Amino acid sequence: MPDVPPGPPAPADSPAGPPTPPVPLTGLLALEELGLRRIAGPADAELLWVHTSEMADPYPYLLGGELLLSAGVLLTDPDTYVARLVEAGAAALGFGVRPVHDTVPPELVAACDRHALPLVEVPPGTPFTAIARAVWGLMAEARHRELRRVTRAQQALATAAARPDPIPAVLHQLAVRLSGRAALLSADGEELHAAGRQPAPEVRAALARLSRVVAPAVHPAPAPTSATDTLGPAHLSAYALGGGQGLALTLATDHREPGDHTIAGVAVVLLSLLTAPHQGADAADRSAALVRLLLGADPAGVAPLLGGDGRWTVVHARRSGGEAVDPLTAGALGAALGSALVDAGRGGEAVRVLVPGGDRITPQPGWTLGASAPAPADALDTADTQAARALGRAEATRTPLAVDEPVSGLAALLPPGPAAARARTLLAPLTAPLAETLRCWLSLNGSWDRTAVALSVHRNTVRQRIARCAVLLGVDLDDMDVRTELWLALRQR
């Protein structure tokens, strides 16, 4: 009849829970109340189980990773006995002194040294059950520590995903929690975002190869969702992200811990959501709208395919810190504003988002926004100009959001036909750049510096343009009545 181990926790492949963290042998030896002493073999063993057996060959009943406890009742050939334990994958041997043996047999000590199996002397006053209970207690403590670590990592990753730069923030937290390098790779192996210390070139190359295992460019067969490898001391991992874009999360760490895979899995879910195309409007309808526009359809007739109430708000945006924006980060902004229609901009251009409906735009952490007034589809060119103008004002006044409101107040009381005709006559001498400079300068109460920031020009350029406007219009721009008339004309224009 096989020996039965005294109540171990669920094995690593059990559906009852995640793998139990192993207990280092040194941790067990540190418990002074047990009086254990290592007398042979290495000290760096890790224990997964405790098993007691007095069989001459317990090999058939070992799973690997055990601390095997024995009093040596049937010990006749120590070398063969130890060799079989090592072959079975036992982690260490605990030998009980008395009543069978007064001391640990020297032949057994020599065999454990020869086969590099840790040998622990168990004093007469220490029951084997006490050792088993101590190991399970250490395992429970390790499990609780690991669960706390995973829980804290999950909370940190979720918080990072809510930041204005969610993808870099999630990668940063992942790199911190796993003490390594975390990178998001495109389908062709290019690093889109990365956090943590820079790995050696050969490690980066190995990570790129590993990413192609989980997210291959060509799919001749179903690919695994994750893969691991080692390169010297580096432990490498790659995880495929959902969304069908061929993206992969890669990790390089100096060691692996039982909770690492769970933490990485949380990051994979978050990154998959953050990088997936926004599905607020049906993709087929968006494609149909684009095709119809390219074939010459009227924008007003195409707009219903994109949802909303027939009105659109154009938003221009830049990162508050002035850093460059990649398509993934721009897409995250669009998702936050409720739109999949995003132009990420190139070469320092502002991100542009086309938001359906007339709902008010709200500030977004980490961004400076300029929004137009809601406009019909056939007036989006004007709305685009309004949004650019509003973004300039937001940057000049250092506010997170500026909205180019429609004509209101006293200006709205003027008859639109005569007022517009008067505005065109009054402003006729001005070129478009001069008129825009004058409008911006007036809107910012004549501030040279703020106008320069809003228009992205030097303050001396602003002074020269305003002076030119005064000459062409033949007016004194220090006169409040003149400023008021020009402001009303520019609002009607």
Side-chain angles (χ1 to χ4, degrees), residues 118-138:
L119 176 61
V120 176
E121 180 186 69
V122 182
T126 301
F128 285 178
T129 53
I131 297 174
R133 188 162 51 244
V135 171
W136 307 143
L138 291 173

Side-chain angles (χ1 to χ4, degrees), residues 352-380:
R352 299 192 297 177
V353 184
L354 191 57
V355 181
D359 295 338
R360 294 189 65 85
I361 303 300
T362 57
Q364 299 298 317
W367 292 89
T368 300
L369 306 180
S372 72
D378 57 3
L380 288 179

Side-chain angles (χ1 to χ4, degrees), residues 17 71 74 143 251 255 261 305 334 338 372 390:
L74 299 179
R143 169 69 72 85
L251 300 170
H255 60 275
H261 186 72
L305 289 173
S372 72

